[in-house]
Amino acid sequence: MWSWVLHRITGVLTFFFLFVHVLDTALVRVSPDTYNEVIETYKTPLVNLLEVGLVGAVLFHALNGIRVMLVDFWEKGPKFQKPMLWTILAIWVVVMIPGAFFMMKRTVETLFGGN
């Protein structure tokens, strides 16, 4: 049940991100200066943390979507749905740990000093 709930939540979060992305990109045609100001606000540590969350949500949604398709269309899918869930969670962790590290590296160096 939790994978179902997380799948819906990550889908809605991804939709809202795409909506905001289309709106802020449309600003370039209306007012390039406003667009540049908005883009500057995206370079903050908080937004960087939100970007990591977005990548995590999109990755989980994609992997769980593959699992849902296998459960629905593969005759042995329902039998293996729990092992597939643990597999996608393991893949998610393996991808997200280095991904989050490289995404947050510049922000951490800016906040706490570094090379």
Side-chain angles (χ1 to χ4, degrees):
M1 182 184 119
W2 288 111
S3 66
W4 182 87
V5 171
L6 281 175
H7 193 73
R8 287 349 179 239
I9 291 171
T10 57
V12 169
L13 290 174
T14 303
F15 170 79
F16 281 121
F17 163 75
L18 290 173
F19 182 72
V20 169
H21 179 63
V22 167
L23 287 178
D24 70 14
T25 303
L27 279 175
V28 99
R29 295 184 61 87
V30 177
S31 172
D33 292 331
T34 305
Y35 172 78
N36 289 334
E37 289 175 24
V38 169
I39 295 303
E40 278 303 310
T41 64
Y42 291 166
K43 296 178 182 177
T44 64
L46 175 63
V47 174
N48 187 233
L49 187 61
L50 292 172
E51 287 174 337
V52 172
L54 174 67
V55 169
V58 170
L59 181 62
F60 175 82
H61 191 79
L63 292 171
N64 195 52
I66 293 168
R67 184 187 73 86
V68 168
M69 287 188 296
L70 287 170
V71 168
D72 287 346
F73 297 115
W74 181 35
E75 64 186 36
K76 295 181 182 179
K79 178 181 175 185
F80 293 110
Q81 81 172 350
K82 265 196 181 167
M84 286 190 291
L85 176 62
W86 288 110
T87 302
I88 69 150
L89 290 175
I91 293 169
W92 185 85
V93 167
V94 165
V95 172
M96 277 306 295
I97 289 174
F101 172 79
F102 287 111
M103 288 179 74
M104 294 294 297
K105 185 176 180 187
R106 185 174 58 92
T107 296
V108 170
E109 287 174 351
T110 301
L111 289 174
F112 301 110
N115 298 334

